[in-house]
Amino acid sequence: MGEISSSQDYQSFRSSIPFKRVVVDGDSKEWTYYDAGPRSVRCPLICLPPASGRADVFFKQILVLSTAGFRVIAVEYPVLWTLREWCEGFRRFLDHLELDKVHLFGASLGGFLAQKFAEFLTINERVHSIILCNSFFDTSVFQMATSSHT
C-alpha cells in the first residue's frame, strides 16, 4: 500500500477512525476492525477482506459510505483452522457488537467466508444481503495436482 498509505484520503481515514480490537471467545483470538458511521444503524455493512488484505483496504468505502449516513465495519479475522470455527467466531463477533442483521461485502476469500457464514446460519436469518467481489463458492479448484494437465 506504499503510495496509498501516504495519500491524504488514507491519512484522513487513519486519523479519524480508530482501529479496534476485541477477543470474543476463550481462545484469545483477536478480531480487529474499523467501525464508522452512525451507531443507530442496526443493519450495517460488514466488509470482509481477501486473504492478502487487511481491514483498511476498504478505507475509501468506509469514508464515503459513513459520510453518507451508512454504518460500515471492516473486519480483520484471526487465524482459524476450520470454517465452523470461523463462522462461530464471526457470530460471536457480531454478538459482541450487538448486531442482529448485517449486509456482508466480501472480496475473494472474504466473499467465500460471507457465503459460508450465511449457510451456517440457515435457521437464523442474520444475513440480510451479500455482495461478492471476485469471489468463489467452491475450494476444490485450489487443490494441488501432482502433475500438470496437458
Side-chain angles (χ1 to χ4, degrees):
M1 268 182 67
E3 289 181 31
I4 293 173
S5 64
S6 60
S7 74
Q8 186 174 5
D9 284 345
Y10 185 77
Q11 294 302 318
S12 172
F13 164 75
R14 289 301 303 262
S15 66
S16 62
I17 303 186
F19 191 51
K20 300 177 180 181
R21 302 171 185 279
V22 64
V23 174
V24 297
D25 57 25
D27 291 338
S28 58
K29 301 270 188 194
E30 187 174 71
W31 293 73
T32 52
Y33 63 102
Y34 296 99
D35 186 351
R39 297 301 178 271
S40 59
V41 174
R42 299 307 307 153
C43 187
L45 175 65
I46 309 282
C47 299
L48 302 171
S52 61
R54 299 183 335 211
D56 62 353
V57 300
F58 300 109
F59 79 93
K60 286 202 178 232
Q61 291 86 348
I62 294 169
L63 288 173
V64 171
L65 292 171
S66 64
T67 301
F70 296 95
R71 184 176 180 190
V72 183
I73 301 168
V75 179
E76 285 179 29
Y77 27 86
V79 174
L80 297 162
W81 296 106
T82 69
L83 281 173
R84 182 167 190 80
E85 284 179 357
W86 190 89
C87 290
E88 289 172 351
F90 188 60
R91 181 185 49 77
R92 286 191 296 269
F93 174 75
L94 296 179
D95 290 345
H96 172 79
L97 296 177
E98 299 179 354
L99 299 173
D100 295 325
K101 283 251 191 225
V102 294
H103 301 281
L104 297 177
F105 172 74
S108 189
L109 176 63
F112 175 75
L113 294 172
Q115 293 172 80
K116 294 304 173 186
F117 183 69
E119 290 174 10
F120 177 72
L121 296 176
T122 53
I123 298 170
N124 179 358
E125 297 289 327
R126 198 164 198 176
V127 177
H128 189 69
S129 66
I130 300 177
I131 305 162
L132 303 174
C133 175
N134 194 32
S135 192
F136 50 92
F137 67 92
D138 180 15
T139 58
S140 64
V141 297
F142 301 115
Q143 294 176 355
M144 295 183 64
T146 55
S147 62
S148 63
H149 298 282
T150 54

